[in-house]
Amino acid sequence: MEMIGFAFLLLGLLSPISVGSRIQASSELLDFEALNCRKHSSVLTQFGGKGDGKTSNTNAFRSAISQLSNVASDGGAQLIVPPGRWLTGSFNLTSHFTLYIHKDAVILASQDESEWLLIKPLPSYGRGRDDSGHGGNGTIDGQGAIWWQKFKNKQLQNTRPYLIEIMFSTQVQISNLTLLNSPSWNVHPVYCSDVIIQGLTIRAPVDSPNTDGINPDSCSNVRIQDCDVVSGDDCIAVKSGWDEYGIAFGMPTQQLIIRRFTCVSPYSAAIALGSEMSGGIRDVRAEDITAVTTESAVRIKTAVGRGAYVKDIYVKGVTMHTMKYVFWMTGNYGEHPDNGYDPKALPVIQNINYRRHDGRERHDCSKKGPWNCTGVSGVSSKVSPQPCSLLPEKQPGTIVPCAYPEDKLPIDNVQLKTCSASV
């Protein structure tokens, strides 16, 4: 029997308030940087919104977006959320649309489950991550404690909401937001291209379940930069579908750049690749990463049945303080959506380049020593402590087959425009 879940879908979200944007505030005008400016503008209060932290604004948001969608072909529209505390259930955004959240506004996720829209599972996953029912999503301050407790007590019949999920979209910007207490994943762009995520501050208790920071999933041409995440799970988890569903859907995550990123996650990774990677992951570049009290800097997670590949991964300039693992790769992560996966579908891991990493204060004293290598091949250069024998010192004149690329990804050529909003 098919289960029901909850959803908060944002299609083309923009909320440029905070560090990184050049913002000038007056009583009437705010200037900000964005991929695209909009011709039409409205304020949530025009649609009956009340920012008292108690009144539900679900209908106000839905009504505003529905009406503003009529001008999508006439220069698009932006909806301004003014100062206040705006309680709401889920709502869908539309194309050629900007959601502008004032720096003194807080959107609060409703804890009334009847205010959440119903959606089907993602086609590349087959079912929700928490349960076999439909998926679910949430918003800005997710007030997630009630969901974490239900998860820990095994009381869920549906997948928990995410804060922001953007689906089947292009030219997407998520910037200058503080995201708090997500019930599950915080930011999940899926089946998208040309995505910029920058200036996010994400906070969740380090023991909160599955509160991943940013999860690009089956996306192309993505830039993540200048973000700071404290999480109960991976700070960034790169994904592309789950087992036979992801293989059939066949959409990789590729051309991803991550830079100037800080992570605190005592039980997970700063950057994880997988474990849902059945559409493939390739051409991922990460640089200037800081991981503090984090279990591992980079973690590649795969399993029998995933198929596809993780390849052309380049990570440089990582500073680590109080770590358990620097790099961790596993092909036995387990967990499947159902029993229909192909046990012969084995993922391929190749062309992995880690360079210029500095780690201090390992918080786990393993008796196995600093390196534990099985089934790998490659070379190392000037690494201390000395790597395992499967990664011998590179000899002079040896050509490294997976050298760090010197070209720029297309997303780095994208320039933001200066736009305005009246409050």
Side-chain angles (χ1 to χ4, degrees), residues 331-351:
N332 191 32
Y333 201 74
E335 193 175 9
H336 304 279
D338 52 41
N339 294 324
Y341 67 92
D342 180 2
K344 296 181 180 180
L346 304 179
V348 174
I349 313 299
Q350 65 182 24
N351 293 350

Side-chain angles (χ1 to χ4, degrees), residues 164-180:
I164 299 172
E165 183 170 70
I166 304 166
M167 302 174 63
F168 299 106
S169 298
T170 188
Q171 293 192 350
V172 174
Q173 181 186 351
I174 308 171
S175 64
N176 304 87
L177 281 170
T178 296
L179 305 179
L180 305 174

